[in-house]
Structures are given as structure tokens and as C-alpha cells.
Amino acid sequence: FICEDVTYCLTTVGNAASVSLAVASVLNATCLPARILIRFEGEFPAFADFTLEQLAALAANYGVQFSVYVARSEGIRVARQFLLDNCATQYCWMGDDDVLMDYDCLDSFYRAFPLTELNGKVALLGGVKVDVNNRRGYKDYSLEPVTFAEVSQNHFYGKAHSLGRTLDQNSIGKFDTGNCIIDTKV
């Protein structure tokens, strides 16, 4: 089903191939956003990308609005703020161009919001985003599942892929916008 109050937002600096993978993961989910908003930065992107064209057509067939913006690069904070400012729905589902969302990620966010409300208001929820290889050389890197006692945004939980798990931000320390949902009305 389509979540009419959610926009999936991501930004990239010239990485159309990764954008295509990220968008494909969102469009192959059990719960779809009403809109997809992509911000390309830096050098003008090559829009003659067959995969991205196919995904835009698939989004249209599913009834998901697909928007692309091009801007000069001014850093990730400016890009994220642009996405928030141009999000036309209540919820901005922020993703990174190199993050593949699990099939039930948005559904997990939706189920978690009522459980986490504090005085009726929750500004954001952070989701898990797992690196499946260690190309960046993290010292604590592991693909071994962890327990909820070992809270981390960058690991699997239990036996199943848990990219859609939501975590209490107070347990994380540093927030990562690579997979989160933000209530733009709070």
C-alpha cells in the first residue's frame, strides 16, 4: 500500500547508479511512500540512465510521484535541509544513496511511531543501515548479528535482516540520517 503522508528523500553527488539501487529497494517494498524526492549535486548528472528511467516509470505506474532536482553542492547539511524544506508530506523518510532499504523498512517505521510517542509528539526515528562489506575500514565492523543490548545503527539484529528496525536515539549517541523518518510537522 502507499503511505500518503511519506516522501522518500535522498541526495547524491554524481552517483546515479547507487541512487537507482536505493530507489529500487524502496519501490520493491511492502509499503511505498507517496513521493520520491532526489537531489543531484555537483556536476550535471547524466539523465540518460536506463535503470533510473525504468524506476521513474515504475514509480508512476505505482502512483508514486517521482521528482528530481539538480543543485550545486553545498555540503550534506544544506542538501538535507533542502530535502526537508521541499518535502510535501508530513513524514520525510531520509535515505543515503548507498543504502538499500529492507522490504518492510517503511512499514516498521509506521508501526513504531505510535509506540514511541511522547506527549503525542515524536520528531524522528532512526533506522538501521548495515554496511555489507568493510570498504571504509571500520575497526568494529562485523556482519555477526547483535542483540538489542548492543544497540547500533550499523549492524544486523537477530537472524533476519533488520534494516527496518527502529532504535531509541538515546541509546545510539550519534544520529545518522542514512535511514530515518522525520515528522516535518513537529
Side-chain angles (χ1 to χ4, degrees):
F1 69 97
I2 293 182
C3 300
E4 295 296 333
D5 55 355
V6 176
T7 300
Y8 174 69
C9 299
L10 75 152
T11 185
T12 188
V13 179
N15 198 351
S18 287
V19 167
S20 293
L21 287 171
V23 170
S25 70
V26 169
L27 289 174
N28 282 300
T30 56
C31 184
L32 302 178
R35 299 165 183 250
I36 294 175
L37 173 62
I38 303 168
R39 176 182 164 115
F40 282 95
E41 293 189 348
E43 294 296 317
F44 195 78
F47 287 115
D49 181 275
F50 178 77
T51 305
L52 195 55
E53 292 167 356
Q54 292 294 91
L55 291 168
L58 181 63
N61 286 336
Y62 285 165
V64 175
Q65 181 181 346
F66 194 91
S67 301
V68 176
Y69 288 84
V70 178
R72 66 184 172 100
S73 185
E74 298 179 79
I76 191 66
R77 290 183 189 268
V78 170
R80 295 286 194 207
Q81 189 62 52
F82 171 89
L83 293 171
L84 282 170
D85 292 344
N86 288 278
C87 180
T89 57
Q90 179 171 352
Y91 298 104
C92 175
W93 179 19
M94 203 71 77
D96 279 348
D97 63 355
D98 62 347
V99 173
L100 299 178
M101 301 301 177
D102 206 15
Y103 70 95
D104 66 347
C105 185
L106 182 55
D107 187 46
S108 294
F109 277 133
Y110 246 58
R111 284 184 279 122
F113 253 104
L115 301 174
T116 59
E117 287 188 4
L118 177 63
N119 297 325
K121 300 291 181 187
V122 170
L124 56 90
L125 291 174
V128 176
K129 51 171 255 180
V130 180
D131 283 313
V132 295
N133 63 49
N134 196 18
R135 290 180 176 256
R136 295 181 178 112
Y138 299 122
K139 291 181 178 139
D140 65 343
Y141 177 80
S142 172
L143 283 177
E144 293 300 314
V146 298
T147 66
F148 279 109
E150 308 169 81
V151 174
S152 165
Q153 262 184 295
N154 300 312
H155 291 89
F156 289 112
Y157 288 84
K159 295 180 182 177
H161 295 286
S162 56
L163 299 176
R165 290 258 189 210
T166 53
L167 303 173
D168 174 5
Q169 184 56 38
N170 293 327
S171 305
I172 297 173
K174 186 170 89 170
F175 189 74
D176 189 317
T177 54
N179 181 18
C180 70
I181 194 161
I182 301 166
D183 187 339
T184 63
K185 306 294 186 216
V186 173

